[in-house]
Amino acid sequence: MRLLGVGMCAAALTVGLLAAPAGASEAGETAQLRGAGWALKDTGKDVRFRGLAAVSRSTAWVAGSKGTVLRTVDGGRSWQDVSPPGAVAEGVELRDVEAFDARRAVALSIGEGEASRVLRTEDGGATWTETFRNPDPRAFHDCLTFFDARHGLAMSDPVDGRFRILSTDDGGRSWRVLPDAGMPQALPGEAGFAASGQCLVSAGPRDVWLATGGGAKARVLHSADRGLTWRAAESTVPAGDPARGVFALAFRDRTKGLAVGGDYRTGQASPQAAAVSGDGGRSWRQAAAPPSAYRSGAAWYPYSRGTALAVGPTGTDVTRDGGRSWRPLDSGSFDTVDCAPDTGCWASGEKGRVARLEHR
């Protein structure tokens, strides 16, 4: 589902309480990252970056409008414009990027029919290969995810009443449409949101989750066999409108998950904009104190007991109790957030905004 533009607000994020590696004391967690916050990195671009892949504290990729892809290998001090020339020439909307390291990445463009494509690089973006171009005018691809460096999936809005899933087992070099016999029927109007590259997420070698909205209910679909069969569960995030639903998922492991979303239209209320699951997405509970507004991206802080970040165009929120309660931090505008295993956390959004979580 194409996501329309949303409003802007700029500020710097100050995260006073985050978590440290598992095993540290509560006091140690608090002291170790006290005063950490978002440090903006000048990209020299004014496009919107809804695609983000955090490889480490030093390396990150962002993908966005006008076919733009940037890469940093020095913590954001400098950025290389590694945009695929064809994507730039056609001005395609890149809404997701998944990176395996500083050299290998896979990017997804969205849109009806042939506008939905997958591009792959093995040389840090010096060259790109188009590995998939959607031939079906009924399909509209939104997100992709990888289980490992070889196995990955991409999802499309429903075709013939079911979400369509692409699969790769060679790192994105080739793709095939999976059979839809194991996919539940979509609800009328139900679709995914191409808002942050997080409407399709994975954890471990086989588990994957798909977020929906637009229908009467906002649902989360789960597959434990890399997309062959799926089970749908209703979330507590309000839907019932094409602009409402679950926009992003984040799973810490195969059981503990977060869902965030709301209504992306500027000025519209987004009550109950977050939910939490402790059983792999089979059931969802409303957050007792959710973010106060629409949130489009979420990420767990590595090695923490229950710390995660949620971002949106009107601000960032943090939870330290596994998603049950969130507290606002500022009004800085970001669309997506991602954290690498070395605790390198990045966020990106409109007007070329990219930031890294740093000590002040």
Side-chain angles (χ1 to χ4, degrees), residues 268-339:
Q268 294 297 309
S270 291
Q272 305 171 19
V276 59
S277 175
D279 57 11
R282 289 190 295 273
S283 64
W284 293 87
R285 303 185 307 279
Q286 179 184 334
S292 61
Y294 156 72
R295 294 292 176 255
S296 54
W300 289 95
Y301 189 79
Y303 312 115
S304 68
R305 294 179 175 88
T307 301
L309 299 167
V311 301
T314 62
T316 301
D317 300 88
V318 63
T319 178
R320 297 195 67 234
D321 57 12
R324 293 187 294 276
S325 63
W326 297 82
R327 63 181 180 88
L329 296 171
D330 68 37
S331 57
S333 176
F334 292 106
D335 292 312
T336 189
V337 58
D338 193 25
C339 292

Side-chain angles (χ1 to χ4, degrees), residues 100 104-106 118-122 129-132 146 149-152 167-176:
F100 310 117
R104 298 175 297 161
V106 179
V118 179
L119 303 169
R120 187 180 191 277
T121 182
E122 297 183 359
T129 302
E130 182 181 295
T131 60
F132 174 78
F146 276 83
R150 293 185 58 82
H151 301 92
S167 175
T168 180
D169 60 7
D170 55 12
R173 295 178 180 86
S174 63
W175 298 82
R176 64 187 179 94

Side-chain angles (χ1 to χ4, degrees), residues 1-7 50 157 188-195 211-219 237-248 260-273 293-296 313:
M1 177 187 293
R2 175 175 292 275
L3 183 69
L4 301 179
V6 287
R50 294 189 187 273
D157 289 340
E190 190 176 28
F193 290 105
T212 82
K217 301 290 184 180
R219 303 194 297 174
V237 176
D241 185 280
R244 298 177 190 156
V246 176
F247 282 71
V260 299
D263 188 323
Y264 72 76
R265 294 171 295 192
T266 302
Q268 294 297 309
S270 291
Q272 305 171 19
Y294 156 72
R295 294 292 176 255
S296 54

Side-chain angles (χ1 to χ4, degrees), residues 30-31 98 105 171 189 195 268 350:
T30 299
E98 302 289 329
Q268 294 297 309
E350 63 183 349

Side-chain angles (χ1 to χ4, degrees), residues 22 32 64 99 111 148 173 181 205 224 253 259 261 287 317 346:
Q32 186 173 8
D148 52 44
R173 295 178 180 86
D253 50 40
D317 300 88
W346 297 78

Side-chain angles (χ1 to χ4, degrees), residues 90-233:
E90 295 188 46
V92 301
E93 285 286 331
L94 295 170
R95 294 292 181 92
D96 199 355
V97 61
E98 302 289 329
F100 310 117
D101 49 41
R103 298 185 61 79
R104 298 175 297 161
V106 179
L108 173 75
S109 68
I110 68 160
E112 296 176 349
E114 293 190 352
S116 288
R117 306 171 193 175
V118 179
L119 303 169
R120 187 180 191 277
T121 182
E122 297 183 359
D123 53 15
T127 61
W128 292 84
T129 302
E130 182 181 295
T131 60
F132 174 78
R133 181 178 292 214
N134 171 42
D136 192 335
R138 300 170 299 170
F140 187 115
H141 290 76
D142 297 293
C143 294
L144 58 84
T145 189
F146 276 83
F147 304 95
D148 52 44
R150 293 185 58 82
H151 301 92
L153 301 176
M155 60 79 69
S156 163
D157 289 340
V159 176
D160 294 330
R162 289 182 170 89
F163 286 93
R164 176 172 288 180
I165 304 296
L166 298 179
S167 175
T168 180
D169 60 7
D170 55 12
R173 295 178 180 86
S174 63
W175 298 82
R176 64 187 179 94
V177 177
L178 291 182
D180 66 2
M183 176 66 72
Q185 282 282 337
L187 302 175
E190 190 176 28
F193 290 105
S196 60
Q198 295 175 327
C199 60
L200 186 72
V201 302
S202 57
R206 304 188 70 81
D207 287 273
V208 59
W209 296 264
L210 188 161
T212 82
K217 301 290 184 180
R219 303 194 297 174
V220 177
L221 281 62
H222 170 235
S223 170
D225 55 12
R226 290 183 182 162
L228 292 176
T229 60
W230 297 79
R231 182 176 182 176

Side-chain angles (χ1 to χ4, degrees), residues 15 26 47 97 135 147 212 257-258 345 352:
V15 182
E26 188 76 11
V47 302
V97 61
F147 304 95
T212 82
L258 305 171
C345 292

